[in-house]
Amino acid sequence: VLTVNIAPLKSNQQIEGYVYVLHDITEQHKLDAMRKEFVANVSHELRTPLATIKSYVETLLYSDVDAEYLKRFLKIIDSETDRMTRLVKDLLLLSKMDSEDKNLKFEHKNLNEVIIDVINRLSIEAHKKNQKLIVDLQETPRHVYIDKDKMEQVILNLVTNAIKYTPENGMIKVITEYDENFATFIVEDNGIGIPKEDLPRIFERFYRVDKARSRELGGTGLGLSIVKQIVELHKGEVNIESEVGKGTIVRVKLPYQ
Ligand code: ADP
């Protein structure tokens, strides 16, 4: 998209020429459209659980509900409240990282230890689905320079996704590899996979392959965009390979410094 400003150059009432100023506003339009889409998405994502909560609360207030239904409705209200809390937490995290003051606290850390901490927290989830959680960590020659909390969030989001999108009895592998310049960790699963056409957009905020499934599993649609943003703040790279029905491999490559 181009806008053109034309200003005639005059001398003694006679036009001697024109100055054309061309502005390329494609980027600006794109940013505007993205911002609008983001606000619409946030509103929608917040309204959906609110509408559910409201309707169950109204039923409880104005109808006679027996004990069994009372419990069932309260459980739904509870899980929708949890989803809103997660959503607001994810949005705050993203907005903090968007702002000037990112407030990252870098320190030298053993990546293997950070991974083991997160895996210990998640092993119960995998166990509930009878999934095999394999951890294969190469001995690290050097410490990585990371914001530990943020990197924990990256590992948490990736392993949580692997657990969520892999059926019962599946397998999840977490691997580290170290070379001269990079520390790499890989989260691999043999779950449902991602269709090829969705892969290019998978790191966008609120992009999901299957909205209903993501919601059902408690997702916010922000997990991978948070991963990408944090990894890039560490000057690293994240990429994803996937095949429907076979599984997904996410690789995060971090420079040591
Ligand atoms: P969500 O909260 O929906 O899980 P994410 O940003 O973490 O959001 O992921 C975006 C979408 O990518 C998910 O909705 C899901 O469709 C797909 N996805 C992410 N990780 C995996 C995976 N390991 N296997 C299959 N699909 C995945």
Side-chain angles (χ1 to χ4, degrees), residues 101-224:
D101 173 26
K102 302 194 165 53
N103 207 5
L104 291 176
K105 291 185 214 81
F106 282 96
E107 51 185 332
H108 289 283
K109 281 278 162 195
N110 180 329
L111 184 62
N112 287 353
E113 287 173 7
V114 181
I115 289 176
I116 288 167
D117 267 1
V118 179
I119 297 288
N120 282 338
R121 275 186 262 156
L122 290 174
S123 57
I124 298 173
E125 291 304 311
H127 189 73
K128 274 190 206 157
K129 291 179 81 176
N130 204 24
Q131 291 166 336
K132 205 184 249 175
L133 188 51
I134 300 167
V135 182
D136 181 6
L137 307 179
Q138 191 183 321
E139 202 177 313
T140 173
R142 281 168 77 177
H143 284 184
V144 281
Y145 195 55
I146 52 170
D147 179 313
K148 178 174 160 275
D149 289 350
K150 299 274 184 313
M151 203 46 71
E152 278 185 353
Q153 184 79 53
V154 168
I155 301 158
L156 191 90
N157 289 4
L158 294 179
V159 180
T160 307
N161 276 351
I163 295 171
K164 273 196 309 196
Y165 299 108
T166 298
E168 301 212 336
N169 308 314
M171 181 214 56
I172 291 136
K173 242 195 228 171
V174 182
I175 301 164
T176 53
E177 291 169 358
Y178 299 95
D179 66 20
E180 283 275 292
N181 303 310
F182 296 99
T184 303
F185 68 89
I186 300 159
V187 180
E188 190 179 334
D189 65 62
N190 65 352
I192 61 171
I194 300 166
K196 238 190 203 79
E197 64 270 20
D198 293 298
L199 281 176
R201 300 194 57 192
I202 209 74
F203 289 104
E204 287 176 21
R205 293 173 186 187
F206 294 116
Y207 193 84
R208 291 130 151 170
V209 175
D210 180 342
K211 271 196 187 228
R213 190 193 304 239
S214 157
R215 280 226 182 83
E216 202 181 298
L217 298 170
T220 62
L222 293 173
L224 284 182

Side-chain angles (χ1 to χ4, degrees), residues 6 15 19 30-31 36 48 54 69 71 92-94 96 108 110 112 121-122 142-143 193:
I6 308 170
I15 294 174
V19 177
K30 251 197 237 162
L31 280 174
K36 277 187 195 148
T48 311
K54 176 88 181 146
Y69 277 96
K71 186 103 188 208
L92 276 176
L93 183 63
L94 276 171
K96 244 189 220 157
H108 289 283
N110 180 329
N112 287 353
R121 275 186 262 156
L122 290 174
R142 281 168 77 177
H143 284 184

